[in-house]
């Protein structure tokens, strides 16, 4: 029933959110800033520079760091998606 589902979600399902919050704490301030602008739909580097105000070289370095840490993925050249 619904009550059992909600109780189970509180006990088990919510742990995934706490784990993600913990993982985000491991990111540098700049990485977390850029991560917040990523989505599950691919975003091009041009769009991300417009949204973040960062230069292409700085943004590219941060995106590489996010990819290396498993928070983002480059799906086609210069297009990135959020992971997790």
């Amino acid at each position: 029933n619904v009550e059992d589902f909600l109780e189970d979600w509180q006990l088990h399902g919510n742990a995934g959110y706490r784990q993600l919050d913990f993982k985000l704490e491991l990111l540098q301030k700049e990485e977390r800033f850029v991560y917040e602008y990523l989505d599950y739909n691919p975003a091009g580097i041009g769009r991300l520079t417009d949204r973040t105000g960062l230069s292409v070289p700085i943004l590219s370095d941060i995106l590489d760091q996010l990819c290396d840490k498993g928070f983002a993925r480059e799906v086609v050249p210069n297009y990135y998606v959020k992971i997790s």
Side-chain angles (χ1 to χ4, degrees):
N1 67 26
V2 174
E3 289 82 19
D4 291 339
F5 169 77
L6 291 174
E7 182 178 330
D8 186 54
W9 187 83
Q10 288 287 10
L11 294 175
H12 305 290
N14 213 6
Y17 291 110
R18 284 190 299 254
Q19 183 179 8
L20 180 59
D21 287 343
F22 174 74
K23 285 175 59 177
L24 288 176
E25 292 298 320
L26 299 175
L27 294 177
Q28 302 276 337
K29 180 181 175 183
E30 298 83 9
E31 293 169 337
R32 202 173 13 223
F33 173 73
V34 171
Y35 179 80
E36 294 301 322
Y37 284 97
L38 293 175
D39 195 353
Y40 298 106
N41 296 312
I45 195 105
R47 180 174 174 218
L48 290 169
T49 56
D50 290 344
R51 294 178 79 195
T52 63
L54 298 172
S55 68
V56 172
I58 291 173
L59 181 61
S60 294
D61 287 344
I62 294 170
L63 287 167
D64 286 343
Q65 293 167 12
L66 288 170
C67 289
D68 290 344
K69 293 181 178 183
F71 284 90
R73 183 167 53 102
E74 187 176 20
V75 291
V76 294
N78 297 319
Y79 281 80
Y80 296 86
V81 294
K82 177 186 283 192
I83 298 177
S84 296

